[in-house]
Amino acid sequence: KAGVTQTPRYLIKTRGQQVTLSCSPISGHRSVSWYQQTPGQGLQFLFEYFSETQRNKGNFPGRFSGRQFSNSRSEMNVSTLELGDSALYLCASSYQDMNTEAFFGQGTRLTVV
Amino acid sequence: DQQVKQNSPSLSVQEGRISILNCDYTNSMFDYFLWYKKYPAEGPTFLISISSIKDKNEDGRFTVFLNKSAKHLSLHIVPSQPGDSAVYFCAHHQGGKLIFGQGTELSVKP
């Protein structure tokens, strides 16, 4: 069974630009969640999608958004990039929304210059 | 909101000995906890999980213990190997959202 796939692995963007990251969950998994990891803040929850609906949202500004498609693939978008958005962005998928294991992709390393 | 805390930022253990990583939580609802291992610049790797209907779950060298009265869980790795050196995170899975502790960096010395 293929794992969670995130693309691209690395990305360099300029302040003010926007970026779209992609996540393909494990086949059969319907819940996809996104996390940001920075050295100072650890692993922080961004949002979670289940059956194309955003059900949970973390404490991030509206510049961070996402969506999920009918095949459970998900994208997250960050608009008007700031230097502080430089981070490792991680996607996790699970079969259902709770009480199950969640599996992570390798992450996308975003650098904003 | 559920909080998950790992109060030890680092732990150093000799190869072959036991590693014990600790985690405390604040919510007393029905809970499901997970442990992850993480290398720099990579995604966390799932290790083992436990639900609050159990006190213990074991998988090979990894055992997780849950003490509900103390709201405390621990991960035991026996025997520890140099390849276990990584950052370990405990997490609570709640409604599709994982709430992570700050992580403990384990160093296993040969």
Side-chain angles (χ1 to χ4, degrees):
Chain A
K1 211 178 202 181
V4 179
T5 304
Q6 289 187 248
T7 56
R9 286 294 309 277
Y10 303 94
L11 208 47
I12 299 175
K13 289 286 189 178
T14 305
R15 267 185 307 175
Q17 286 186 313
Q18 76 163 15
V19 67
T20 299
L21 311 181
S22 180
C23 173
S24 293
I26 291 171
S27 177
H29 285 193
R30 296 165 64 192
S31 172
V32 175
S33 52
W34 290 87
Y35 300 83
Q36 181 196 65
Q37 186 184 27
T38 56
Q41 298 296 320
L43 281 154
Q44 291 191 293
F45 171 76
L46 281 156
F47 29 67
E48 184 255 351
Y49 289 86
F50 187 87
S51 294
E52 301 179 67
T53 301
Q54 184 184 89
R55 295 191 310 174
N56 281 292
K57 191 175 191 305
N59 296 323
F60 280 82
R63 300 185 297 107
F64 292 81
S65 63
R67 58 179 176 167
Q68 186 180 34
F69 302 94
S70 58
N71 61 357
S72 294
R73 191 177 70 84
S74 177
E75 290 181 346
M76 70 163 277
N77 184 276
V78 188
S79 62
T80 320
L81 283 165
E82 300 176 359
L83 294 178
D85 296 334
S86 296
L88 181 66
Y89 289 89
L90 293 158
C91 162
S93 79
S94 58
Y95 178 68
Q96 55 189 29
D97 60 333
M98 58 194 304
N99 304 333
T100 59
E101 295 81 7
F103 298 91
F104 283 83
Q106 291 285 74
T108 295
R109 167 67 66 183
L110 172 65
T111 302
V112 182
V113 297
Chain B
D1 250 7
Q2 171 72 275
Q3 285 193 29
V4 178
K5 292 186 178 181
Q6 294 175 258
N7 294 315
S8 299
S10 63
L11 175 68
S12 184
V13 170
Q14 206 67 31
E15 180 179 7
R17 305 294 289 269
I18 184 172
S19 295
I20 300 176
L21 299 122
N22 296 302
C23 183
D24 297 304
Y25 63 97
T26 58
N27 197 313
S28 58
M29 300 287 285
F30 179 77
D31 294 309
Y32 193 83
F33 295 95
L34 307 94
W35 282 94
Y36 288 89
K37 172 182 177 180
K38 190 180 184 302
Y39 296 112
E42 292 186 10
T45 301
F46 169 74
L47 284 173
I48 192 168
S49 61
I50 189 166
S51 76
S52 56
I53 61 173
K54 291 186 172 183
D55 297 323
K56 174 183 172 181
N57 190 24
E58 193 171 353
D59 184 2
R61 297 186 298 115
F62 302 94
T63 303
V64 56
F65 294 92
L66 179 61
N67 182 332
K68 289 180 280 295
S69 60
K71 296 183 183 178
H72 177 85
L73 63 157
S74 60
L75 175 68
H76 293 210
I77 306 174
V78 182
S80 301
Q81 301 172 352
D84 295 329
S85 297
V87 178
Y88 289 77
F89 291 92
C90 66
H92 175 248
H93 195 183
Q94 183 180 39
K97 171 181 176 178
L98 286 171
I99 302 168
F100 285 91
Q102 302 92 319
T104 297
E105 184 171 8
L106 173 65
S107 175
V108 180
K109 301 191 182 303

